[in-house]
Amino acid sequence: AIAQFFLFSAVVLFYSQDFLLAAINYLPTALFLLAVFSRSYFRAKEMAPLYGAIAIMLTFVGSFIQIVKISPHPQYFNHNALYHAAQFVAICLLFVTARWDIVREKYEK
């Protein structure tokens, strides 16, 4: 992980700051998480891993929006804003996934 961090840092500093490179950089980790969440959901049939899998898929959608530059409005809500809106929802879902035991206890009482 340390070597990958320094390699990616060098690429960003000395080659390009294109978002596509960042997306390619986190693709293996995101695919691994998607596989783990999907497997956990199909084994346990709990909602937390499903939310995690949806969050990762939404991250892929957000990255696609950013790379292709899909923009509802070029001035007021451009592709970057839409990407960050999608990422916000994805991160909220990951937070729910991480806190699932606490959330479940609260609603099972």
Side-chain angles (χ1 to χ4, degrees):
I2 292 170
Q4 189 274 340
F5 170 75
F6 284 112
L7 178 64
F8 182 66
S9 297
V11 168
V12 169
L13 288 173
F14 302 113
Y15 179 68
S16 173
Q17 295 180 354
D18 189 30
F19 180 80
L20 181 60
L21 291 174
I24 291 169
N25 182 51
Y26 73 67
L27 184 62
T29 305
L31 288 173
F32 175 76
L33 276 175
L34 180 61
V36 169
F37 285 139
S38 299
R39 183 176 182 208
S40 296
Y41 173 70
F42 288 117
R43 284 187 170 195
K45 299 292 185 203
E46 287 207 4
M47 295 303 292
L50 179 62
Y51 291 153
I54 291 169
I56 299 301
M57 288 186 286
L58 191 55
T59 297
F60 291 146
V61 169
S63 294
F64 178 78
I65 288 168
Q66 184 78 308
I67 292 166
V68 178
K69 297 185 179 352
I70 296 171
S71 177
H73 190 280
Q75 184 177 3
Y76 298 114
F77 203 75
N78 65 10
H79 67 280
N80 193 43
L82 185 58
Y83 162 76
H84 282 93
Q87 285 300 100
F88 171 75
V89 174
I91 290 171
C92 287
L93 287 171
L94 283 176
F95 180 78
V96 169
T97 301
R99 304 276 301 183
W100 185 253
D101 287 337
I102 294 169
V103 171
R104 184 178 49 196
E105 283 180 17
K106 182 178 179 180
Y107 290 104
E108 285 181 350
K109 289 182 183 180

